[in-house]
Amino acid sequence: MKYWKEGEDLTALVVLLCVAAMLGLLIWTIQLWFAYRKSEGDDKVLVHAKIQYAIGGCFAVMTTYNLLVEGNYLKVGLYALLTVSIIAIGIHKKKSVSG
């Protein structure tokens, strides 16, 4: 990873922030999954769209990690494509119910 200041490596900080973000998104996804099981009708579709946002957020974190830490641009492109497509599907589902 590129250095912030001469001799100061921020890789550990980026990894820690990415792990914290992934854990937060994982907890949110689990909460939404339980809400999805209890909901009915249009609410079920809206909760499913939020689950897709959370999964898209996970891919966004993986994109950031690969860009800043590993520098693997093939994975960056793949994760960015997955992020955009998953969130776009969630937006489409939400708009189909909202009108």
Side-chain angles (χ1 to χ4, degrees):
M1 182 174 171
K2 294 183 180 178
Y3 294 99
W4 179 257
K5 293 181 182 175
E6 183 91 21
E8 190 175 332
D9 190 9
L10 295 177
T11 303
L13 178 65
V14 171
V15 170
L16 181 66
L17 290 174
C18 287
V19 168
M22 288 295 281
L23 285 175
L25 287 165
L26 179 66
I27 290 169
W28 187 40
T29 304
I30 291 170
Q31 289 174 341
L32 287 171
W33 182 71
F34 283 114
Y36 178 78
R37 291 181 57 203
K38 292 180 182 179
S39 60
E40 297 176 0
D42 289 346
D43 288 337
K44 194 168 200 140
V45 176
L46 293 174
V47 171
H48 190 265
K50 288 181 182 178
I51 290 172
Q52 287 184 294
Y53 297 156
I55 293 170
C58 290
F59 281 110
V61 170
M62 288 190 289
T63 302
T64 304
Y65 172 79
N66 276 295
L67 182 64
L68 295 176
V69 177
E70 291 184 5
N72 188 339
Y73 297 112
L74 181 63
K75 283 184 181 178
V76 169
L78 176 67
Y79 289 145
L81 182 65
L82 285 170
T83 300
V84 170
S85 60
I86 289 172
I87 291 176
I89 292 169
I91 291 171
H92 178 72
K93 281 187 179 190
K94 189 174 182 180
K95 284 186 177 181
S96 68
V97 171
S98 305

